[in-house]
Amino acid sequence: MVRLPPLVLPDSESYPSTVLREELIAGLDAVGCRHDVNDLLTFGEQSSVLTRPAGVCAVFFPPRRGDHVCGPEQHCLGVLHKRDA
């Protein structure tokens, strides 16, 4: 599930995410957007990337039980936010 912060979309709801980590990284690479592994939010089973220079952070999680959006070995987008300076 992914949810946009209230400042982006007030009264937003959570929705099943169909954005796979590999697809987002391929899209960033395709348009020449630099990105690095975000070490602060990459641990356990979750992973995170941080775009440069915009500072947009994407956090990915493995599927939850009963979640049929991602395959068992894939990570789906769970959180997307812009880091403060």
Side-chain angles (χ1 to χ4, degrees), residues 1-84:
M1 299 294 226
V2 68
R3 181 181 177 107
L4 293 173
L7 289 174
V8 175
L9 185 63
D11 300 322
S12 68
E13 298 179 28
S14 295
Y15 296 95
S17 173
T18 59
V19 178
L20 300 177
R21 183 179 190 278
E22 295 78 17
E23 291 174 347
L24 180 68
I25 289 174
L28 294 172
D29 289 341
V31 297
C33 181
R34 287 187 18 216
H35 56 86
D36 300 309
V37 171
N38 182 354
D39 292 329
L40 294 174
L41 295 175
T42 297
F43 54 86
E45 292 188 349
Q46 78 179 36
S47 63
S48 178
V49 295
L50 183 61
T51 63
R52 304 284 184 199
V56 174
C57 178
V59 184
F60 299 86
F61 303 94
R64 295 184 180 133
R65 183 175 297 161
D67 181 356
H68 302 290
V69 175
C70 293
E73 301 300 318
Q74 296 174 313
H75 283 87
C76 283
L77 180 65
V79 177
L80 184 65
H81 66 93
K82 173 130 172 63
R83 286 180 51 174
D84 293 332

